[in-house]
Amino acid sequence: MAAAALTREGGEDAFRRLFRFYRQRDASDLRGVVDFSAPGGQVFRSQLSISSVSDQDAYRAGLQPVSQWKAYGLSGYPGFIFIPNPFLPGCQRHWVKQCLKLYPEKPNVCNLHLHMAPEKTTDLWGQSKEQLRRKGSSKWEPRSLLEKLRWVTLGYHYNWDTKKYSANHHTPFPSDLAFLSEQVAAACGFRGFQAQAGILNYYHFDSSLGIHVDESELDHSRPLLSFSFGQSSIFLLGGLKREEAPTAMFMHSGDIMVMSGFSRLLYHAVPRVLPNPEGTALPSCLDQALSSDLPAGSVIEHSSDEDWQVCAKYLQSSRINMTIRQVLAEGQKFPEESGTNGKGQTPSEDSYHENSKAKRHKPNRV
């Protein structure tokens, strides 16, 4: 296989060679990519902590009962858990709407806030929805502000200059997303997980995320949770060194990935976003409407048809990824720092992604 042969070449490290292979527009050899919808080979069933999450709490988070989830591990990657779409019908729509309509707004921080006057970034949703609704298929049409989103940070905001978090740069973490994250973490054996920081990634078909390790959190004993919505992608999970060839896997809409234990500090990357494999504009799981009978205390909200039309138009060429982290252990505090206010940010809106049209900055975070 072409991908396997690349890892044996000299020169570049094995991870970079495979990243470049899958990044290519004409990389048609995807036989080596693990597909958890048809597991086999190095994939095995992983056990979940079913009793840790009540069916009622799962429903409140928009999830199926944990007893109905399928979870998988990968040989050679202890602590890695992959859960193919455990969301109840229609519930993915809530998280997509939050990522486009609510979470990009202040006091949260997004790439657009760094380069535009404050009055220009007020109500990104309101400024973009008409343009998105009218948008045709031409890639030459001007992009709306929402289509220029690259990242949003929540809770403890990551400092792109120092590559650290700070007590001085913190805003309230969204309660609905915290509840979702706590249920998923508990189901994977991490009761008491606290969602303290989130990074939302907004990908288009020409986007990728470079090779890196997530090590800035002060507590590495807690997992990193990753949620994907919209178009699919190829995710590469490597080793402790870049010389180790990574394993490629598909991530589809609704899939959840958990990196814990040994796998928490491994190199990883997203070389490519792919069209939904069903061949339709959106995956069928996003066509399902939300039930009108939501349980008491549900964090899921109904989306209006108008709002969902805007979200659906956006997702036809995009993928949204939410990564949630616990930064501090119970009772832990940030070390004293001098000479910083904790609010430094990256100088470019494209620093989070490698883009086929703008590769000046290398990405360094999930």
Side-chain angles (χ1 to χ4, degrees), residues 99 199-203 209 225-229 251 255 257 319-323 366:
C99 288
I199 297 180
L200 315 182
N201 251 343
Y202 300 81
Y203 296 89
L209 183 68
L225 312 179
S226 172
F227 302 85
S228 291
F229 305 105
M251 291 194 72
D255 290 349
M257 192 173 62
R319 169 182 178 254
I320 298 173
N321 179 255
M322 311 187 301
T323 56
V366 141

Side-chain angles (χ1 to χ4, degrees), residues 54-223:
S54 69
D55 289 356
Q56 183 70 9
D57 281 344
Y59 289 141
R60 289 176 58 208
L63 298 165
Q64 301 173 32
V66 177
S67 60
Q68 296 180 20
W69 298 8
K70 293 180 180 178
Y72 300 98
L74 280 174
S75 298
Y77 297 97
F80 175 79
I81 303 171
F82 194 101
I83 305 168
N85 184 17
F87 289 93
L88 289 166
C91 289
Q92 288 187 52
R93 292 186 176 190
H94 169 85
W95 303 108
V96 172
K97 185 190 71 172
Q98 297 296 78
C99 288
L100 292 175
K101 187 174 183 178
L102 181 65
Y103 297 158
E105 295 297 322
K106 294 180 179 178
N108 302 327
V109 180
C110 76
N111 60 290
L112 299 179
H113 295 153
L114 309 182
H115 309 286
M116 299 176 66
E119 63 272 15
K120 298 282 189 181
T121 59
T122 300
D123 190 17
L124 299 176
W125 175 266
Q127 293 189 62
S128 302
K129 62 182 182 180
E130 287 303 324
Q131 189 177 352
L132 270 170
R133 190 181 292 114
R134 296 192 308 266
K135 199 171 185 67
S137 58
S138 173
K139 63 181 179 180
W140 305 114
E141 294 183 58
R143 292 183 300 168
S144 66
L145 286 179
L146 282 178
E147 290 172 299
K148 294 179 181 179
L149 269 181
R150 289 295 175 266
W151 52 261
V152 168
T153 54
L154 311 170
Y156 287 113
H157 299 283
Y158 184 67
N159 185 315
W160 303 97
D161 294 333
T162 64
K163 295 180 170 52
K164 294 180 180 179
Y165 298 96
S166 167
N168 298 330
H169 198 195
H170 174 267
T171 56
F173 195 93
S175 58
D176 58 348
L177 185 52
F179 186 76
L180 170 70
S181 303
E182 289 159 8
Q183 307 318 306
V184 171
C188 294
F190 296 94
R191 299 186 74 167
F193 175 84
Q194 299 176 49
Q196 297 175 335
I199 297 180
L200 315 182
N201 251 343
Y202 300 81
Y203 296 89
H204 306 296
F205 283 132
D206 59 355
S207 302
S208 63
L209 183 68
I211 307 165
H212 67 285
V213 175
D214 289 291
E215 57 187 359
S216 297
E217 295 73 28
L218 274 65
D219 180 18
H220 295 152
S221 69
R222 310 304 274 173

Side-chain angles (χ1 to χ4, degrees), residues 317-344:
S317 60
S318 305
R319 169 182 178 254
I320 298 173
N321 179 255
M322 311 187 301
T323 56
I324 314 302
R325 311 114 191 283
Q326 178 169 332
V327 177
L328 300 167
E330 187 73 33
Q332 188 177 22
K333 295 183 179 180
F334 289 101
E336 292 291 332
E337 294 185 28
S338 59
T340 177
N341 63 3
K343 294 188 179 183

Side-chain angles (χ1 to χ4, degrees), residues 346-360:
T346 181
S348 168
E349 70 175 40
D350 288 320
S351 66
Y352 210 66
H353 292 55
E354 287 190 53
N355 186 287
S356 61
K357 298 177 182 176
K359 294 186 179 179
R360 294 167 299 173

Side-chain angles (χ1 to χ4, degrees), residues 1-9 18 21-22 28-34 248:
M1 293 173 59
L6 280 172
T7 66
R8 296 190 292 269
E9 293 179 1
L18 274 178
F21 173 80
Y22 287 116
S28 57
D29 184 357
L30 302 180
R31 289 173 294 171
V33 183
V34 174

